[in-house]
Amino acid sequence: MENLMFLILNMLFCVILFVFIVSSTSGEAVLRQKYAKEIALMIDEAKPGTTIYIDASELIDRYGKEQGIGIKIDEDTRKVIANFTGHRAYAFNYFTDAHVKLEQLQNRIILTVEKNA
Amino acid sequence: MHKLSKKGGEKYLSIWWFFILILIAASIVAGVAMNSVGEANSKEIESDILATRVVDCLVSQGMIKQSLVDGSMDILNECGLNKKIIDETGKYYLRIEIFDSDKCDINNKDFNCVGRLNEFGVHAFNVQCNQPGENFPKCIEKKFYALNSSNDRFLVKIMAGSNMLGGTI
């Protein structure tokens, strides 16, 4: 009986650790950084008149459509802000002077980069 | 001599066993937490994008824009860069030098000749660039020759640096 308990507790320990590692490495903090940085770099690299389509199925599968895509552009501070759960947001600057429009169409994010008037 | 019974020995062994497990768990949790909190470094990519963007706007089909040679060019505006972000956030650096290559022997590192210099952002990045360490900026340098409309040859050196790490808000 004691041996069985010992074995179960050890297995429980391994499972908890495994779940923690998996959830941490593919967690929200990583996704926030990934999307904010990638979008900011895409904006910086894009020439005026460019439209970029980004597949956001990963976000919709995980957080649902109700909350929206969870990414917005703040043109005053020139920041891409990613916030998927409404708690913590991650922001990353872009340096171009372009006018950027972000829309969501089904599972895609559509970024339109236009010359600033 | 005091001897532990078999049952007592197992008890102590299991306590040590769980102590080791907790130690392993704490190490893994700390490692994973540090990794997920740490920034994925995109400074070098950002510097490269900035430098490439500037090259694209200064030169068209191998011809350097005359306004750049004259010094009348509003570089940031012409290259579509936001002045406030480049100059005021303290995260970017842009250095553009233009040498008249007929007057300077650039290949023999004769940098005593005076080039036209334009600098934006944090000037100190010129020294701090690419120093080892997470907190220093990463910079990219690009050099190229270009002609102006009178077929004078110029060497253009561009250095772009970024120390941008996003942040949780």
Side-chain angles (χ1 to χ4, degrees), chain B residues 47-66:
Chain B
S47 303
D48 191 42
I49 292 172
L50 181 58
T52 306
R53 219 184 149 92
V54 172
V55 172
D56 284 350
C57 84
L58 299 184
V59 177
S60 169
Q61 294 175 337
M63 303 288 274
I64 195 166
K65 290 184 180 167
Q66 191 56 40

Side-chain angles (χ1 to χ4, degrees), chain A residues 2 6 9-10 13 17 20-21 24 33 37 41 44-47 77-78 81 88-97, chain B residues 7 14 17-18 21 25 28-29 32 38-40 42 46 49-50 53 56 80-82 85-86 92 164 166-169:
Chain A
E2 277 175 16
F6 185 74
L9 284 173
N10 277 323
F13 169 81
L17 212 57
F20 170 77
I21 292 169
S24 298
Q33 263 197 51
K37 285 188 178 182
L41 293 174
D44 284 337
E45 202 162 14
K47 292 204 162 92
T77 55
R78 304 261 135 199
I81 301 167
R88 292 181 114 186
Y90 185 87
F92 197 83
N93 271 102
Y94 58 93
F95 52 70
T96 68
D97 207 22
Chain B
K7 209 167 183 178
S14 65
W17 178 243
F18 279 106
L21 286 186
I28 291 175
V29 168
V32 170
E39 296 283 330
S42 58
E46 217 181 2
I49 292 172
L50 181 58
R53 219 184 149 92
D56 284 350
L81 302 171
N82 190 286
I85 296 293
I86 299 286
Y92 296 102
M164 172 55 68
T168 306
I169 53 172

Side-chain angles (χ1 to χ4, degrees), chain B:
Chain B
M1 195 173 148
H2 180 70
K3 277 187 185 175
L4 285 171
S5 66
K6 194 184 171 196
K7 209 167 183 178
E10 278 173 0
K11 190 179 155 195
Y12 285 114
L13 184 66
S14 65
I15 288 169
W16 277 109
W17 178 243
F18 279 106
F19 175 72
I20 289 166
L21 286 186
I22 288 165
L23 208 66
I24 293 169
S27 313
I28 291 175
V29 168
V32 170
M34 278 163 71
N35 188 42
S36 60
V37 169
E39 296 283 330
N41 201 331
S42 58
K43 292 175 189 175
E44 208 166 332
I45 302 169
E46 217 181 2
S47 303
D48 191 42
I49 292 172
L50 181 58
T52 306
R53 219 184 149 92
V54 172
V55 172
D56 284 350
C57 84
L58 299 184
V59 177
S60 169
Q61 294 175 337
M63 303 288 274
I64 195 166
K65 290 184 180 167
Q66 191 56 40
S67 56
L68 179 68
V69 179
D70 298 342
S72 61
M73 187 186 219
D74 181 355
I75 295 171
L76 294 183
N77 190 34
E78 194 94 5
C79 297
L81 302 171
N82 190 286
K83 192 173 165 50
K84 205 173 161 187
I85 296 293
I86 299 286
D87 276 336
E88 292 173 23
T89 53
K91 300 288 181 188
Y92 296 102
Y93 177 59
L94 185 60
R95 179 188 174 93
I96 302 159
E97 278 178 289
I98 306 133
F99 300 91
D100 185 338
S101 64
D102 293 334
K103 292 174 190 159
C104 301
D105 188 5
I106 302 295
N107 290 331
N108 291 325
K109 302 211 175 204
D110 175 17
F111 291 110
N112 292 325
C113 63
V114 181
R116 185 182 292 282
L117 172 67
N118 295 279
E119 270 187 300
F120 307 95
V122 187
H123 294 15
F125 280 12
N126 191 27
V127 183
Q128 296 170 356
C129 267
N130 302 329
Q131 296 287 330
E134 290 272 313
N135 296 323
F136 286 110
K138 296 282 175 222
C139 299
I140 294 283
E141 195 175 36
K142 290 184 190 277
K143 288 181 203 171
F144 59 91
Y145 286 96
L147 301 172
N148 69 356
S149 50
S150 323
N151 273 349
D152 300 320
R153 202 166 73 133
F154 292 89
L155 171 70
V156 183
K157 283 171 69 185
I158 294 171
M159 185 192 254
S162 164
N163 201 15
M164 172 55 68
L165 292 167
T168 306
I169 53 172

Side-chain angles (χ1 to χ4, degrees), chain A residues 21-39:
Chain A
I21 292 169
V22 169
S23 65
S24 298
T25 50
S26 60
E28 199 219 338
V30 176
L31 270 186
R32 277 193 313 235
Q33 263 197 51
K34 178 188 152 187
Y35 276 89
K37 285 188 178 182
E38 279 185 358
I39 291 173

